[in-house]
Amino acid sequence: MKKWTTRGLIFSALFAAVMIALSFLKISLPFSTVPITMQTLAVMLAGSILGARYGTLAVLIVIGLAAAGFPVMGGSGGLAVLAGPTAGYILSWPFVAFLIGFSAERIGQNKYTFVKLLLVNFIFGALLVYPSGVWWLAHSLGMNSLSKALTAGMWPFIPGDLLKAVLCSGVVTAVWKVYPIERILSTDTGVWADGENSPVGR
């Protein structure tokens, strides 16, 4: 079993902070209680850059803080958020980060890297989120029409989620050229590896 590394834990905390910050970038829709938010982009980035374990940990940190009552979900927090209409989306995020990270760890860097990342992020980071998100949205709001649930929780979000997957894949492709995912996952001695600078200075 691979050891948890200081580097990985630090990056998990940093990406949790990024996820919290991006949660405040949201657009409310007049016909839905589900806002367009950039948190899903942060989940994609966490999985793609940190891998399965540390990407999942970053998401779990945010969900744990929300459960403890901290306003980390766009200024909201508490168990009410994790049981509200958008809970199906939020609670899918750890699985999303894990699957994206698991796949990212196995994607080799070549001329198809961007395309492979795009497919992984859109399939796992968007399409996988909709079943639980739409189901819980319909259940919590008492919707008796699948069409209404899809209109409120899926169809309007597909173009934006595709754009997020494209943006994430472009960013990650560039990041991997200078800081490949293997450097996150490699074991360390409790500090940055010998001869390696902190990523803050990169």
Side-chain angles (χ1 to χ4, degrees):
M1 181 178 178
K2 293 182 180 179
K3 294 191 299 182
W4 291 85
T5 69
T6 302
R7 183 189 304 108
L9 295 174
I10 290 173
F11 272 109
S12 292
L14 289 174
F15 269 80
V18 170
M19 189 173 174
I20 292 169
L22 290 180
S23 73
F24 289 90
L25 299 178
K26 59 183 180 180
I27 301 173
S28 298
L29 301 176
F31 54 85
S32 176
T33 58
V34 182
I36 295 174
T37 173
M38 296 300 287
Q39 267 188 311
T40 48
L41 172 61
V43 175
M44 293 179 189
L45 288 169
S48 297
I49 293 177
L50 303 185
R53 286 193 300 167
Y54 298 114
T56 304
L57 177 60
V59 175
L60 289 175
I61 289 172
V62 176
I63 292 177
L65 290 173
F70 291 93
V72 295
M73 296 289 182
S76 301
L79 293 177
V81 173
L82 301 181
T86 60
Y89 302 97
I90 295 171
L91 296 180
S92 73
W93 289 346
F95 303 99
V96 167
F98 178 86
L99 290 172
I100 290 175
F102 182 85
S103 302
E105 291 170 18
R106 288 155 179 80
I107 292 177
Q109 292 194 54
N110 53 45
K111 62 181 180 179
Y112 301 112
T113 298
F114 174 83
V115 175
K116 289 185 286 187
L117 282 170
L118 176 58
L119 290 173
V120 165
N121 279 285
F122 186 63
I123 292 171
F124 294 138
L127 300 184
L128 184 66
V129 175
Y130 294 135
S132 61
V134 172
W135 175 80
W136 183 256
L137 178 69
H139 172 75
S140 63
L141 297 181
M143 294 181 180
N144 55 9
S145 168
L146 177 60
S147 177
K148 290 181 180 178
L150 292 174
T151 298
M154 190 179 84
W155 299 129
F157 302 94
I158 291 178
D161 286 339
L162 178 57
L163 181 59
K164 292 173 194 174
V166 170
L167 178 60
C168 174
S169 302
V171 170
V172 174
T173 300
V175 168
W176 278 4
K177 291 180 180 179
V178 294
Y179 208 98
I181 194 170
E182 291 81 9
R183 294 179 72 180
I184 300 287
L185 302 176
S186 64
T187 57
D188 63 7
T189 59
V191 293
W192 302 104
D194 292 340
E196 179 181 14
N197 294 324
S198 164
V200 175
R202 293 194 64 85

